[in-house]
């Protein structure tokens, strides 16, 4: 042959497999079949995955399965033309078949095994897809070799042209041979006619043996026979070449149109170069052709198996769908049965309770009679205290009457209060006097008298300060000492010792209570001071006139003395003393308020240092008010240590804002602050009720304080139960006479829609147009739809912790959307799992028209959400007081709350006929479940949509409710006064 085919290959274009020739390095050509475009549909996989998430069997089948290794079907050629087949993976097929058979008789007991088989089928599908991915990864390498392969194809085309020319030449020779054969036939016919058959036969035989004679015309017969033989050989060879070239052209056309298959072909080009040389000699072999056809049949069989697997998987998927529907129906029936059983149990309970009701009523009558007797005794005791107090007042009045009224009238003008100076001015003046006392520039007694003048806001001390503000300190001290008089004040001196204060060091509601209550008492004429740790992370820009005093206060801790630096400044017009411990552990330089491993030690140190500060400054407060477990140490420290040192003028008030946090530690840790653990680790003192080897600081606050309060009346009742008391219910019951719940208030200056600087538009109850404009402004800011201005907006601002009912908040998001409303959530969670869950929800609704979640705290944004919301969700599991519902009503957002704690004391259902209409201000539900929340939310949305005028009247009524600290401060003032009066009466007795 003029040219040989140097490159040849075969590729089957099956819809399920791509076949690629590989060289195994030993001269053997290996054809690897891998899934190039698997028809296992993503729909089936996605459907099965969804069902696996929805169906949660009690046990997990096959929790630890052996890793399934990928097995490719391989067919190889060796030099002896033998066919070697590897094992085919039959496990997926068996699993699918078993899954299909078992799915026909699926029951609840077999569901777990069926799910396991489906998982295995999914893994097999995944392996097929992974094989396809690995094949596609070779694309980059093949693209580099693509041009080289195309060059070789061009060479083959040139060779094809040469072969065509040879075929043309061979055709011409064939025509010449045919002419010779015709001439030979004519000669034969002539010989027959002449009767010389024998001679011709012998001569023809000689020609067949190759004996050609040039002289005789019959010699052309031998030439013709040789040419015919050569032509047949050439024709066979050319036909084979032509078929191979046509096959190559077909594959090349497929490669051009499908780069994906070209990837698989070009990946093995280097292997083909060596292998094709061997195939050239075998290509024309009939045996090879039969082997190739055998391989084609085998590939078709493999594809048929894949199609069978696909049909089985589809069938199993359909049966799984049917099984899932049946399971859902069974679950619905189970829920209905459970509800019926619950109703039956309730009916039985009601039947039993009705039988016991009469006995219970008799018992209650006896208890009421006993309570009446106790109340009568208490009234008698209280009347005796009041009588003693009235007598003391009368004695004081008689003393005043004996004074020289003329001299009193002369000094009245100088001592009358000044009303036009800010509270910050008087606090600054008070801190100046205390600084002089600490620095020993005036005596303790003189400082006490000057503080009284400041508390009364006398005009003379105001004018003196203004006159000597620019003078030297020595002249100012002299001028102030000249103002001293013997007049006393009827007001109270109250010192709050606390771990938080808004807005400089705020974590929760405690900070708002300290600032709000302090300002309210200050307005009532009482002297109020705050003692606070100096945190490194507090908001220093919110402290006015912050400065350090040139004095160090020593405090006893861990058997030695430590120095403390004292800073002073005003916050919201209140005088504040910041204690900075010079301790090597840097207690309050951690970048955090709470959450440190040594919190018990940090705050017991602070409590001891605060009392040392009061002692060494000579302060004589009437009330020392401590808050939560962090400063509950104050009560036992005061009565066990400091009363004996001379700090004995005060009564102790302890407020617990949340009984869930109690400050427990090993009893030995109590010794660090100077308390004796052996004497205090007793059941009637500080021993923890649940762990006898530990002490409980909250219990110590309850036992050693004269007044114990919490932040709402309902919460005061709840904590006296086992469920709500967190182990302290028995202690609270033992000290019930001094325990009371007082509902917190809010700072109505900071939370006022008519003057709120954070709002785009201010508004009030008389003009609600500004609320509509704020709603539109918030929608624009958060990217919510504004197409329907009347669509209700539900707000929620909270810490995402279990106490706040996070499962109900999550349900409220979807329920609000279902009912045609919009939902905005602002808040974050310290619990990683909860934070991650709500981040997932936030991403889901990232671009939604009606839902937005902002998982952080943003003070300005919180004001905007209150002003824009039509209603507010507060589904707390328990809530000591709660300020959110008060603030939302202040801004005209109707609260939807669970009846617990302070929520029960401040929100009353509009549909509750037992509540007077003037107090109905929101929507409530009792049970902490989705049904309770849904009922309240549906009622609220129905009123909003169906009766706009009634909704407007409800909004205006809520905005006019007084939730200021005035009422709460009056209750605290009464408690303070009664406790101080008892103490003074006891001293006189």
């Amino acid at each position: 042959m003029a040219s040989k085919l140097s490159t040849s290959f075969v590729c089957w274009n099956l819809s399920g497999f791509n076949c690629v020739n590989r060289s195994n390095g030993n001269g053997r050509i290996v054809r690897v079949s891998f899934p190039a475009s698997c028809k296992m549909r993503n729909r089936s996989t996605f459907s099965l995955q969804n069902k696996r998430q929805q169906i949660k069997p009690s046990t997990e089948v096959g929790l630890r399965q052996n890793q399934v290794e990928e097995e490719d079907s391989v067919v190889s050629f060796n030099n002896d033309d033998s066919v070697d087949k590897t094992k085919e993976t039959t496990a997926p097929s068996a699993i699918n078949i078993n899954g299909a058979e078992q799915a026909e008789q699926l029951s609840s007991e077999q569901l777990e095994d069926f799910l396991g088989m489906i998982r295995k089928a999914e893994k097999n599908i995944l392996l097929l897809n992974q094989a396809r991915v690995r094949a596609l990864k070779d694309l980059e390498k093949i693209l580099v070799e693509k041009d080289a392969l195309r060059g070789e194809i061009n060479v083959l085309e040139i060779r094809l042209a040469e072969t065509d020319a040879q075929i043309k030449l061979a055709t011409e020779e064939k025509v010449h041979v045919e002419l010779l054969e015709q001439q030979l036939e004519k000669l034969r016919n002539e010989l027959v006619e002449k009767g010389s058959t024998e001679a011709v036969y012998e001569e023809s035989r000689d020609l067949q043996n190759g004996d050609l004679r040039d002289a005789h015309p019959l010699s052309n017969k031998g030439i013709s026979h040789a040419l015919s033989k050569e032509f047949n050989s050439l024709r066979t060879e050319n036909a084979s070449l032509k078929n191979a070239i046509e096959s190559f052209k077909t594959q090349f056309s497929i490669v051009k149109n499908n780069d994906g298959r070209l990837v698989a072909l070009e990946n093995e080009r280097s292997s083909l170069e060596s292998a094709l040389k061997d195939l050239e000699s075998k290509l024309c072999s009939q045996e090879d052709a039969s082997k190739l056809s055998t391989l084609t049949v085998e590939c078709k069989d493999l594809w048929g198996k894949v199609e069978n697997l696909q049909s089985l998987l589809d069938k199993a998927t359909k049966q799984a769908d049917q099984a899932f529907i049946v399971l859902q129906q069974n679950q619905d029936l189970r829920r209905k049965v459970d509800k019926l059983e619950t109703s039956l149990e309730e009916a039985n309970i009601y039947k039993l309770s009705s039988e016991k009701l009469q006995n219970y009523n008799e018992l209650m009558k006896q208890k009421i009679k006993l309570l009446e007797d106790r109340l009568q005794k208490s009234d008698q005791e209280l009347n005796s205290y009041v009588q003693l107090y009235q007598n003391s007042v009368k004695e004081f009045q008689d003393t005043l009457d004996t004074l020289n009224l003329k001299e009193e009238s002369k000094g009245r003008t100088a001592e009358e209060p000044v009303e036009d100076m800010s509270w910050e001015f008087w606090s600054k003046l008070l801190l100046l006097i205390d600084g002089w006392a600490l620095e020993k520039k005036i005596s303790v007694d003189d400082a006490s008298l000057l503080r009284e003048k400041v508390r009364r806001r006398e005009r003379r001390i105001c004018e003196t300060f203004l006159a000597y503000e620019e003078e030297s300190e020595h002249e100012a001290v002299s001028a102030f000492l000249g103002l001293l008089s013997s007049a006393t004040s009827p007001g109270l001196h109250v010192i709050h010792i606390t771990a938080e204060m808004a807005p400089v060091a705020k974590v929760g509601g405690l900070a708002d209570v300290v600032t709000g209550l302090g300002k309210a008492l200050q307005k009532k004429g009482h002297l109020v001071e705050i003692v606070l740790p100096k945190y490194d992370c507090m908001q220093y820009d919110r402290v006015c006139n912050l400065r350090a005093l040139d004095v160090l206060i020593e405090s006893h801790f861990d058997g030695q003395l430590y120095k403390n630096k004292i800073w002073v400044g005003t916050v919201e017009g209140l005088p504040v003393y910041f204690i900075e411990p010079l301790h090597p552990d840097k207690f309050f330089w951690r970048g955090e308020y709470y959450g440190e491993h040594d919190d018990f030690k940090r705050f017991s140190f602070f409590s001891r240092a605060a009392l040392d500060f009061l002692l060494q400054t000579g302060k004589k407060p009437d009330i020392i008010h401590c808050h939560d477990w962090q400063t509950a140490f104050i009560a036992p420290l005061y009565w066990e240590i400091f009363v004996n040192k001379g700090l004995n003028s005060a009564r102790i008030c302890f407020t617990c804002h949340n009984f869930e946090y109690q400050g427990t530690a090993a009893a030995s840790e109590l010794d660090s602050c100077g308390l004796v653990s052996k004497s205090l680790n007793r059941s009637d003192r500080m021993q923890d009720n649940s762990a006898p080897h530990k002490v409980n600081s909250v219990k110590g606050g309850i036992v050693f304080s004269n007044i114990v309060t919490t932040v709402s009346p309902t919460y005061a009742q709840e904590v006296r139960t086992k469920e709500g008391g967190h182990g302290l219910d028995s202690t609270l019951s033992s000290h019930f006479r001094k325990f009371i719940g007082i509902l917190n208030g809010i700072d109505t200056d900071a939370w006022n829609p008519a003057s709120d600087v954070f709002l785009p538009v201010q508004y009030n109850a008389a003009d609600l147009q500004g609320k509509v404009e704020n709603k539109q402004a918030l929608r624009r800011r958060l990217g919510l739809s504004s197409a329907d201005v009347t669509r209700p907006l539900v707000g929620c601002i909270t810490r995402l912790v279990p106490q706040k009912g996070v499962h109900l908040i999550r349900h409220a998001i979807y329920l609000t959307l279902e009912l045609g409303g919009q939902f905005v959530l602002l808040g974050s969670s310290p619990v990683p799992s909860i934070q991650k869950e709500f981040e997932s929800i936030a991403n889901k609704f990232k671009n939604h028209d009606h839902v937005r979640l902002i998982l952080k705290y943003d003070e300005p944004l919180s004001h905007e959400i209150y002003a824009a919301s039509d209603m507010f969700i507060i589904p707390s599991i328990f809530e000591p007081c709660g300020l959110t519902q008060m603030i939302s009503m202040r801004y005209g957002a109707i609260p939807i709350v669970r009846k617990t704690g302070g929520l029960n004391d401040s929100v009353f259902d509009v549909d509750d006929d037992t509540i007077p209409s003037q107090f109905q201000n929101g929507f409530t539900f009792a049970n902490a479940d989705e049904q309770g929340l849904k009922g309240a939310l549906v009622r609220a949305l129905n009123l909003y949509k169906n009766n706009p005028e009634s909704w407007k009247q409800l909004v205006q009524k809520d905005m006019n409710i007084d939730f200021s600290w005035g009422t709460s401060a009056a209750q605290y003032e009464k408690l303070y006064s009664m406790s101080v009066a008892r103490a003074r009466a006891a001293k006189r007795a």
Side-chain angles (χ1 to χ4, degrees):
M1 290 176 58
S3 63
K4 296 282 187 179
L5 183 63
S6 62
T7 305
S8 179
F9 53 87
V10 179
C11 175
W12 290 274
N13 181 21
L14 299 179
S15 60
F17 290 86
N18 280 344
C19 302
V20 179
N21 295 325
R22 296 181 183 268
S23 173
N24 63 3
N26 297 322
R28 173 181 289 179
I29 305 303
V30 181
R31 182 177 58 80
V32 181
S33 300
F34 59 91
S37 178
C38 184
K39 290 188 177 180
M40 302 300 182
R41 294 169 294 176
N42 292 333
R43 178 193 64 77
S44 299
T45 304
F46 179 75
S47 174
L48 290 174
Q49 289 175 349
N50 286 343
K51 291 172 178 54
R52 190 168 65 250
Q53 293 174 358
Q54 295 173 3
I55 302 174
K56 298 181 179 179
S58 59
T59 59
E60 185 70 18
V61 178
L63 187 62
R64 291 285 183 265
Q65 294 181 347
N66 293 329
Q67 183 178 4
V68 180
E69 298 181 354
E70 180 183 2
E71 295 182 0
D72 294 329
S73 297
V74 179
V75 180
S76 61
F77 296 102
N78 57 17
N79 292 331
D80 297 330
D81 300 332
S82 63
V83 180
D84 182 25
K85 299 181 180 180
T86 62
K87 294 181 179 180
E88 297 179 358
T89 54
T90 59
S93 176
I95 290 173
N96 281 285
I97 293 171
N98 292 335
E101 293 175 354
Q102 292 179 4
E104 295 177 355
Q105 300 178 350
L106 186 63
S107 64
S108 58
E109 293 81 4
Q110 297 172 327
L111 181 58
E112 297 175 1
D113 294 336
F114 180 71
L115 289 175
M117 289 186 287
I118 292 177
R119 293 191 191 99
K120 293 179 181 179
E122 290 177 336
K123 287 184 179 180
N124 293 331
I125 294 170
L126 179 61
L127 290 175
L128 293 175
N129 287 329
Q130 288 174 349
R132 179 176 179 270
V133 170
R134 287 195 298 272
L136 293 176
K137 285 182 180 178
D138 295 334
L139 179 61
E140 294 181 0
K141 297 179 181 179
I142 293 175
L143 291 177
V144 177
E145 301 173 358
K146 185 176 181 180
D147 294 336
L149 183 60
R150 286 178 178 173
E152 293 181 4
I153 292 171
N154 292 333
V155 173
L156 291 174
E157 288 177 346
I158 293 172
R159 292 182 179 180
L160 179 63
E162 294 176 353
T163 304
D164 290 338
Q166 291 178 355
I167 292 172
K168 185 177 181 181
L169 180 60
T171 302
E172 292 176 355
E173 292 178 350
K174 180 181 178 182
V175 172
H176 180 66
V177 169
E178 289 177 351
L179 291 174
L180 291 175
E181 287 178 347
Q182 291 177 1
Q183 293 177 359
L184 180 62
E185 187 64 28
K186 288 180 180 181
L187 291 173
R188 286 177 178 174
N189 293 333
E190 291 176 357
L191 289 173
V192 170
E193 292 176 356
K194 292 180 178 181
S196 56
T197 303
E198 183 178 356
V200 172
Y201 172 76
E202 291 176 355
E203 193 171 16
S204 297
R205 187 178 55 186
D206 293 337
L207 287 173
Q208 289 176 359
N209 292 330
D211 186 14
L212 299 177
R213 295 179 176 85
D214 296 335
H216 199 282
L218 292 177
S219 63
N220 288 333
K221 184 177 181 181
I223 297 171
S224 175
H225 182 74
L227 290 174
S228 177
K229 184 177 180 180
E230 183 180 359
F231 172 75
N232 290 334
S233 176
L234 183 61
R235 183 170 56 185
T236 303
E237 183 179 7
N238 287 344
S240 299
L241 289 172
K242 190 173 182 179
N243 292 335
I245 290 169
E246 288 298 328
S247 176
F248 178 79
K249 283 183 177 181
T250 302
Q251 297 305 320
F252 178 70
S253 176
I254 295 172
V255 166
K256 276 187 171 183
N257 296 329
N258 192 342
D259 286 339
R261 295 188 179 90
L262 182 61
V263 168
L265 295 174
E266 292 179 344
N267 186 47
E268 304 300 328
R269 184 188 60 81
S270 59
S271 300
L272 288 173
E273 287 180 350
S274 60
L276 287 176
K277 292 180 181 180
D278 297 332
L279 284 176
E280 276 184 318
S281 59
K282 300 177 182 180
L283 186 60
C284 298
S285 172
Q286 190 66 27
E287 182 181 358
D288 290 344
S290 63
K291 291 181 179 179
L292 292 177
S293 63
T294 301
L295 291 176
T296 303
V297 173
E298 290 177 353
C299 287
K300 290 182 179 179
D301 292 340
L302 290 174
W303 174 239
K305 292 181 180 179
V306 172
E307 291 291 345
N308 186 32
L309 289 175
Q310 176 65 43
S311 63
L312 290 175
L313 181 60
D314 291 342
K315 183 178 180 181
T317 302
K318 292 179 181 179
Q319 292 175 344
D321 291 339
Q322 295 174 356
F324 178 72
I325 294 172
V326 172
L327 180 62
Q328 283 186 327
Q329 293 174 351
N330 291 339
Q331 290 176 346
D332 292 337
L333 291 174
R334 171 56 58 188
R335 283 194 291 268
K336 292 179 181 179
V337 171
D338 291 341
K339 289 182 179 179
L340 291 174
E341 291 176 352
T342 303
S343 301
L344 182 61
E345 291 176 358
E346 291 177 353
N348 292 333
I349 293 172
Y350 179 78
K351 182 179 179 180
L352 293 175
S353 61
S354 62
E355 295 174 355
K356 297 179 181 179
L357 184 60
Q358 187 175 359
N359 296 332
Y360 178 75
N361 288 337
E362 293 295 332
L363 180 62
M364 288 301 297
K365 288 180 181 180
Q366 296 176 4
K367 289 184 177 180
I368 290 172
K369 184 177 180 180
L370 180 61
L371 289 174
E372 288 177 349
D373 295 339
R374 291 181 179 178
L375 182 61
Q376 185 176 2
K377 293 179 181 179
S378 178
D379 289 340
Q380 293 174 357
E381 181 183 358
L382 182 60
N383 289 333
S384 65
Y385 286 133
V386 172
Q387 186 64 37
L388 290 173
Y389 177 71
Q390 291 175 347
N391 293 337
S392 64
V393 171
K394 184 176 180 181
E395 291 176 2
F396 177 72
Q397 189 65 39
D398 292 341
T399 303
L400 290 179
D401 293 340
T402 60
L403 296 176
N404 190 330
L405 297 179
K406 185 176 180 179
E407 292 180 359
E408 181 182 349
S409 62
K410 289 181 181 179
R412 186 173 300 157
T413 302
E415 296 179 356
E416 65 181 2
V418 179
E419 302 293 345
D420 57 352
M421 300 301 291
S422 67
W423 287 111
E424 184 175 340
F425 170 82
W426 295 109
S427 296
K428 180 180 178 181
L429 182 54
L430 183 65
L431 294 173
L432 177 66
I433 294 170
D434 284 339
W436 288 343
L438 287 170
E439 294 166 353
K440 308 300 182 183
K441 295 174 181 177
I442 59 176
S443 67
V444 173
D445 293 336
D446 291 339
S448 178
L449 293 174
L450 288 173
R451 278 195 291 265
E452 291 296 332
K453 289 183 173 293
V454 172
R455 187 199 57 74
R456 294 198 306 268
R457 293 180 291 170
E458 291 185 4
R459 184 173 299 277
R460 284 198 305 169
I461 196 167
C462 174
E463 293 175 349
T464 302
F465 176 73
L466 294 175
Y468 286 89
E469 188 174 12
E470 302 298 332
E471 303 295 332
S472 66
E473 188 176 50
H474 177 73
E475 293 177 352
V477 170
S478 300
F480 272 77
L481 292 176
L483 299 175
L484 297 179
S485 65
S486 60
T488 60
S489 169
L492 297 173
H493 182 189
V494 181
I495 296 179
H496 289 271
I497 302 177
T498 176
E500 294 183 40
M501 181 186 184
V504 294
K506 178 178 177 178
V507 176
L510 164 60
D512 296 307
V513 171
V514 171
T515 304
L517 178 58
K519 289 169 65 176
L521 291 172
Q522 190 182 59
K523 290 178 181 179
K524 290 179 175 291
H526 302 289
L527 176 60
V528 181
E529 298 173 309
I530 314 293
V531 181
L532 191 72
K534 187 176 183 296
Y535 300 101
D536 60 342
C537 55
M538 70 181 187
Q539 303 297 317
Y540 285 93
D541 58 330
R542 306 299 293 270
V543 183
C544 298
N545 304 311
L546 180 65
R547 63 187 179 90
L549 298 180
D550 188 18
V551 65
L552 295 176
I553 298 296
E554 291 185 334
S555 181
H556 187 274
F557 198 78
D558 280 335
Q560 56 184 311
L561 291 175
Y562 290 95
K563 297 183 182 298
N564 299 277
K565 193 173 183 179
I566 307 299
W567 297 70
V568 296
T570 59
V571 178
E572 298 287 319
L574 292 167
V576 184
Y577 303 89
F578 300 94
I579 297 180
E580 178 185 356
L582 302 181
H583 192 279
D585 289 341
K586 297 186 180 299
F587 286 139
F588 302 109
W589 289 83
R590 310 280 185 85
E592 299 286 345
Y593 297 111
Y594 307 135
E596 297 296 302
H597 68 282
D598 57 348
D599 275 357
F600 192 92
K601 186 175 182 179
R602 294 168 69 215
F603 289 103
S604 62
F605 180 97
F606 167 70
S607 299
R608 175 66 188 255
L611 290 176
D612 279 317
F613 164 72
L614 299 184
L615 177 65
Q616 295 177 43
T617 56
K619 291 182 179 292
K620 298 293 183 181
D622 297 303
I623 297 292
I624 296 176
H625 197 150
C626 49
H627 300 265
D628 276 349
W629 77 263
Q630 290 86 358
T631 57
F633 303 98
I634 294 293
L637 282 169
Y638 180 83
W639 293 111
E640 291 288 306
I641 297 175
F642 284 88
V643 165
N644 300 325
K645 291 187 175 185
L647 182 61
N648 55 8
S649 63
R651 305 290 281 177
I652 306 299
C653 178
F654 171 62
T655 298
C656 185
H657 299 256
N658 191 335
F659 280 90
E660 186 176 11
Y661 308 102
Q662 299 180 6
T664 59
S668 58
E669 292 194 28
L670 203 60
D671 296 323
S672 296
C673 63
L675 294 172
V676 181
S677 61
K678 291 184 179 180
S679 63
L680 294 177
N681 190 26
R682 291 167 31 184
S683 60
D684 60 339
R685 294 195 173 185
M686 293 186 69
Q687 187 181 65
D688 186 70
N689 293 342
S690 302
H693 64 286
K694 291 185 177 182
V695 289
N696 187 317
S697 65
V698 170
K699 183 177 179 180
I702 296 171
V703 172
F704 284 91
S705 296
N706 304 105
I707 306 168
V708 180
T709 71
T710 191
V711 291
S712 71
T714 298
Y715 188 59
Q717 297 176 10
E718 291 174 349
V719 296
R720 290 180 63 182
T721 65
K722 290 184 178 180
E723 294 78 10
H726 297 281
L728 289 177
D729 50 291
S730 60
T731 302
L732 291 169
S733 297
S734 300
H735 296 268
F736 75 94
R737 290 184 181 276
K738 61 182 179 182
F739 180 50
I740 188 173
I742 299 177
L743 188 67
N744 287 339
I746 60 173
D747 189 341
T748 52
D749 294 331
W751 299 104
N752 185 1
S755 59
D756 195 330
V757 297
F758 295 120
L759 301 185
V761 181
Q762 283 77 35
Y763 64 99
N764 54 46
D767 182 11
L768 295 177
Q769 181 58 33
K771 185 169 180 63
V772 177
E773 295 178 15
N774 283 308
K775 185 176 179 179
Q776 291 297 96
L778 182 68
R779 284 170 167 171
R780 288 192 297 270
R781 174 174 177 177
L782 300 181
L784 296 173
S785 173
S786 300
D788 184 3
V789 295
T790 63
R791 183 184 290 270
L793 178 62
V794 180
C796 182
I797 300 177
T798 183
R799 289 183 302 116
L800 295 172
V801 293
Q803 171 197 340
K804 301 296 182 178
V806 290
H807 68 292
L808 296 179
I809 294 173
R810 179 179 60 248
H811 178 66
I813 296 173
Y814 294 95
L815 181 60
T816 301
L817 192 61
E818 178 184 343
L819 296 174
Q822 293 181 320
F823 196 96
V824 175
L825 169 68
L826 176 65
S828 61
S829 177
V831 183
S833 60
I834 296 177
Q835 181 72 12
K836 184 177 180 180
E837 176 186 9
F838 276 83
E839 286 175 354
S840 176
I841 299 174
N843 291 331
K844 179 179 179 180
F845 292 108
K846 184 177 182 180
N847 298 315
H848 201 278
D849 288 340
H850 303 302
V851 177
R852 198 69 73 240
L853 277 67
I854 302 96
L855 300 181
K856 62 179 182 178
Y857 185 73
D858 186 328
E859 179 71 19
L861 181 58
S862 69
H863 287 246
E864 295 183 45
I865 293 175
Y866 280 120
S869 298
D870 297 298
M871 51 201 77
F872 236 77
I873 288 285
I874 313 168
S876 301
I877 304 302
F878 72 93
E879 190 64 66
C881 176
L883 302 179
T884 303
Q885 76 278 14
M886 302 179 191
I887 298 172
S888 68
M889 285 188 275
R890 177 81 166 158
Y891 283 73
I894 307 303
I896 302 172
V897 307
R898 197 177 89 80
K899 299 178 67 174
T900 182
L903 300 174
N904 187 53
D905 294 323
S906 56
V907 181
F908 306 99
D909 201 290
V910 298
D911 295 323
D912 189 349
D913 295 335
T914 63
I915 303 295
S917 59
Q918 63 268 27
F919 298 115
Q920 296 174 354
N921 56 3
F923 296 87
T924 65
F925 59 98
N927 297 327
D929 54 25
E930 295 179 357
Q931 287 300 114
L933 173 66
K934 181 178 181 179
L937 184 58
V938 168
R939 288 190 292 116
L941 289 172
N942 286 340
L943 181 62
Y944 175 88
K945 294 177 181 179
N946 301 330
N947 200 336
E949 186 59 32
S950 296
W951 184 269
K952 180 180 178 181
Q953 294 174 3
L954 179 61
V955 169
Q956 292 174 328
K957 179 169 64 175
D958 281 8
M959 292 182 70
N960 288 322
I961 297 176
D962 181 15
F963 284 113
S964 68
W965 270 103
T967 303
S968 301
Q971 291 180 271
Y972 274 106
E973 183 182 35
K974 183 178 180 180
L975 285 177
Y976 292 162
S977 299
M978 291 175 60
S979 182
V980 171
R982 291 192 192 101
R984 291 174 180 172
K987 287 182 180 179
R988 284 195 297 270

